[in-house]
């Protein structure tokens, strides 16, 4: 590994070569074969444009809009576009954040701080709500009430309503959920929250920029946006289906009064008065300028066309899954997610989903395994973007091949002593040494993460709290200062 701070500066060409070399180890961000982490519209010239726009504003600081009105203008333009797309009224306002997690944390903060008298403010979410809500609750010391979803994987409005207490500051639901890609019944939950006078946030971080276009194309989806009475805020990530480079999400509120407690202000020190609408104080204008450029070059008609391509790709993928013995669709492919599971619903016979994910990866298709959760079996998640439409016709054959290979390899059989040792572990027993030994034993020591079935199988039978402790330990193991020799 190169030194980030060499004794003497290094020429630019060499540095760019080193960075490109490093990137070769990454999953392919383009090419329509990566079904998580990245969103690719496969539009010629878009990357170059976004990069150029990013460069123009990279050093602009969002800390003070009076010093850098260009950033304020761009943010207001992005919020305006989202208010229009998500049907906010004339009173709607919004903020630009760095990502979905920040938008959700701020939605929870605004709700919590609108009720300062409560000892234990509470947040109600369905069990399919994004993990970022748990993070928000944790950071903000808000109690989390998790309501089981129905058999259709959607939030149950009656159960959500029943979970609302006088201390509930916010109810939230997804449009759609990340894990399964299904839209919660937003109007019903909104009505229940409104009847109790409680704020209701729609997490449309994932799908907020594509659902309106899918609806326009004829998809039968429930209403989910600010036009629904009772929805008080909504989040949508531009770095997902708006196809902007990473680092931009929007949090919209029905009106300014609802947004006000989101702000943080502090004048009680000798320096400048700090007024922050979002979590970061100093913020780069780069991602915001890149997002503006992306929206303007694609345009409304362009997003409709990209949604159409995505919709066709989802249909082809879903057909391939339905036609392949050994796997089946786990959730209806009604938005942009294809979620599949093993026909027999588990890893104890037939197709081991974690082996299947490895086999798909060996064929160049990078999917995202999801662990069993409560009564739900393990699944494989595919986030589908417009780029997939170019490659999707090769999927069915590779899926069939991967299933056959997974059957031939058989399910992962973890060594008995390992299962026993894991069974006896509690989160408190997880130490850095233990994690290092486990990582070594599972073949992760060398940094090769291509065959993950054994690791995933172990994690799949590990209770969530232990899984959290093990993966925290593993990440901490990876995050070590590098020296020139490594
Ligand atoms: C529904 C939903 N909400 C929130 C998030 C968090 O977004 P981010 O990773 O940008 O913080 C995601 C990310 O996938 C998501 O799918």
């Amino acid at each position: 590994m190169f030194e980030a701070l060499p004794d003497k500066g290094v020429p630019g060409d060499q540095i760019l070569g080193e960075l490109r070399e490093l990137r070769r180890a990454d999953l392919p961000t383009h090419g329509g074969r990566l079904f998580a982490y990245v969103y690719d519209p496969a539009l010629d010239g878009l990357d170059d444009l976004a990069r150029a726009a990013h460069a123009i504003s990279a050093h602009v600081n969002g800390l003070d809009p009076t010093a850098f009105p260009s950033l304020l203008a761009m943010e207001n333009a992005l919020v305006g576009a989202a208010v229009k797309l998500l049907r906010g009224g004339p009173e709607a306002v919004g903020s630009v954040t760095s990502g979905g997690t920040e938008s959700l944390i701020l939605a929870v903060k605004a709700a919590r701080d609108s009720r300062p008298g409560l000892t234990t403010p509470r947040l109600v979410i369905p069990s399919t709500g994004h993990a970022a809500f748990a993070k928000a609750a944790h950071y903000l010391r808000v109690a989390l009430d998790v309501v089981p979803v129905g058999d259709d994987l959607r939030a149950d409005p009656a159960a959500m309503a029943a979970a609302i207490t006088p201390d509930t500051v916010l109810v939230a639901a997804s449009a759609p959920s990340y894990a399964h890609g299904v839209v919660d019944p937003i109007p019903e939950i909104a009505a229940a929250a409104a009847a109790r006078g409680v704020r209701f946030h729609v997490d449309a971080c994932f799908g907020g920029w594509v659902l309106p276009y899918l609806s326009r194309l004829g998809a039968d989806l429930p209403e989910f946006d600010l036009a629904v009475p009772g929805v008080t805020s909504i989040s949508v990530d531009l770095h997902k289906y708006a196809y902007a480079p990473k680092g931009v999400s929007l949090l919209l509120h029905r009106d300014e009064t609802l947004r006000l407690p989101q702000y943080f202000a502090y004048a009680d020190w000798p320096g400048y008065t700090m007024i922050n609408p979002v979590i970061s104080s100093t913020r780069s204008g780069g991602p915001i300028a890149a997002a503006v450029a992306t929206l303007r070059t694609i345009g409304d008609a362009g997003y409709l066309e990209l949604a159409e391509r995505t919709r066709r790709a989802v249909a082809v993928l879903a057909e391939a899954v339905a036609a392949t013995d050994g796997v089946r669709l786990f959730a209806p492919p009604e938005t942009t997610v294809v979620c599949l599971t093993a026909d027999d619903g588990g890893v104890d016979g037939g197709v081991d989903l974690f082996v299947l994910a490895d086999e798909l990866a060996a064929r160049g298709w990078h999917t995202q395994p999801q662990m069993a959760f409560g009564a739900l079996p393990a699944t494989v998640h595919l986030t589908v973007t417009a780029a997939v439409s170019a490659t999707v016709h090769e999927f069915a054959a590779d899926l069939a091949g991967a299933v056959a290979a997974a059957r031939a390899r058989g399910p992962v059989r973890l060594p008995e002593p390992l299962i026993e040792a894991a069974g006896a572990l509690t989160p408190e027993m997880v130490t850095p040494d233990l994690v290092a030994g486990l990582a070594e034993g599972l073949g992760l020591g060398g940094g090769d993460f291509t065959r993950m079935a054994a690791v995933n199988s172990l994690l799949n039978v590990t209770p969530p709290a232990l899984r959290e402790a093990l993966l925290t330990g593993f990440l901490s193991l990876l995050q070590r200062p590098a020296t020139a020799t490594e």
Side-chain angles (χ1 to χ4, degrees):
M1 184 60 196
F2 53 73
E3 273 182 298
L5 182 63
D7 290 339
K8 203 165 163 292
V10 168
D13 283 353
Q14 180 187 332
I15 297 164
L16 294 180
E18 289 163 350
L19 296 181
R20 287 195 191 97
E21 182 56 28
L22 259 191
R23 285 277 287 104
R24 278 157 45 85
D26 294 346
L27 292 175
T29 54
H30 293 301
R33 286 171 159 267
L34 174 53
F35 292 107
Y37 311 112
V38 300
Y39 298 77
D40 180 14
L43 292 177
D44 283 346
L46 180 62
D47 280 1
D48 288 341
L49 175 71
R51 258 195 294 273
H54 189 290
I56 290 173
S57 296
H59 294 287
V60 171
N61 190 345
L63 174 65
D64 184 349
T66 63
F68 301 105
S70 70
L71 200 53
L72 179 67
M74 288 190 290
E75 291 194 335
N76 284 344
L78 291 176
V79 170
V83 166
K84 186 172 168 207
L85 188 67
L86 301 175
R87 301 188 302 168
E91 306 291 309
V93 293
S95 304
V96 179
T97 74
S98 64
T101 299
E102 186 178 353
S103 290
L104 297 188
I105 291 174
L106 289 171
V108 177
K109 178 200 170 334
R112 182 196 69 174
D113 290 356
S114 70
R115 305 266 304 275
L118 293 177
T119 317
T120 309
R122 310 191 74 88
L123 163 65
V124 173
I125 60 164
S127 53
T128 48
H130 195 274
F133 283 116
K135 182 172 175 177
H138 177 76
Y139 276 23
L140 297 167
R141 294 181 185 270
V142 169
L144 189 63
D145 294 316
V146 180
V147 180
V149 294
D151 291 341
D152 59 359
L153 304 169
R154 294 173 212 278
D156 171 349
M160 296 280 289
I164 298 173
T165 72
D167 291 344
T168 302
V169 294
L170 184 68
V171 174
S174 319
S177 64
Y178 177 79
H180 308 123
V182 298
V183 182
D184 286 331
I186 301 299
E188 290 82 348
I189 303 168
R196 304 286 291 271
V198 176
R199 291 180 180 224
F200 175 44
H201 180 80
V202 175
D203 176 7
C205 285
F206 180 73
W209 211 266
V210 69
L211 293 188
Y213 294 102
L214 292 177
S215 294
R216 267 201 238 167
L217 292 167
D220 183 19
L221 296 168
E223 293 199 51
F224 72 97
D225 58 16
L226 284 168
V228 177
V231 172
T232 52
S233 58
I234 186 165
S235 47
V236 56
D237 294 355
L238 300 187
H239 62 204
K240 293 193 170 81
Y241 282 99
Y243 296 113
K246 297 277 179 261
V248 186
S249 168
L250 303 175
L251 170 59
L252 309 183
H253 295 272
R254 179 172 286 280
D255 62 44
E256 191 175 4
T257 318
L258 291 161
R259 181 177 66 177
L260 219 46
Q262 176 194 314
Y263 285 65
F264 177 81
Y266 198 74
D268 212 4
W269 74 306
Y272 56 89
T273 297
M274 199 168 82
I275 314 285
N276 294 152
V278 296
I279 295 178
S280 294
S281 197
T282 285
R283 292 182 292 132
S284 168
I288 292 160
V292 168
T294 304
L295 262 62
R296 279 187 59 71
T297 191
I298 294 178
D300 189 65
Y303 282 113
L304 189 65
E305 167 63 25
L306 291 171
E308 172 63 37
R309 277 186 226 163
T310 307
R311 197 175 179 214
R312 271 189 268 128
V314 167
V316 175
L317 291 167
E319 250 171 60
V321 172
T324 306
D325 260 0
V327 291
R328 67 180 167 86
L329 287 170
F330 184 68
E334 67 187 31
T335 60
T336 58
V337 171
V338 174
C339 180
L340 59 104
T341 191
D343 252 346
D344 58 7
V347 293
D348 295 332
V351 179
D352 181 327
L353 277 185
F354 301 126
V355 178
L356 177 67
D358 281 357
E359 288 298 333
L360 280 170
R363 287 160 179 76
W365 301 97
H366 303 282
T367 61
Q368 192 170 52
Q370 300 182 139
M371 306 292 143
F373 170 76
L376 306 182
T379 52
V380 170
H381 167 108
L382 281 71
T383 287
V384 184
T385 58
V388 177
S389 63
T391 56
V392 72
H393 297 287
E394 299 158 26
F395 185 76
D398 280 342
L399 177 63
V403 165
R407 278 194 205 284
R409 291 174 80 95
V412 169
R413 297 254 174 261
L414 294 170
E416 264 321 308
L418 186 62
I419 297 181
E420 268 169 38
L425 269 184
T426 60
E428 300 71 37
M429 291 158 72
V430 175
T431 61
D433 282 350
L434 183 139
V435 173
L438 213 78
E440 203 58 44
L442 287 164
L444 297 174
D448 177 4
F449 308 132
T450 46
R451 290 250 167 212
M452 296 296 279
V455 176
N456 286 330
S457 299
L458 183 66
L459 293 172
N460 192 47
V461 295
T462 309
L466 181 56
R467 199 188 304 159
E468 289 160 7
L470 288 171
L471 289 176
T472 300
F474 183 59
L475 186 58
S476 175
L477 191 67
L478 293 178
Q479 295 192 305
R480 291 295 145 103
T483 58
T485 49
E486 283 179 69

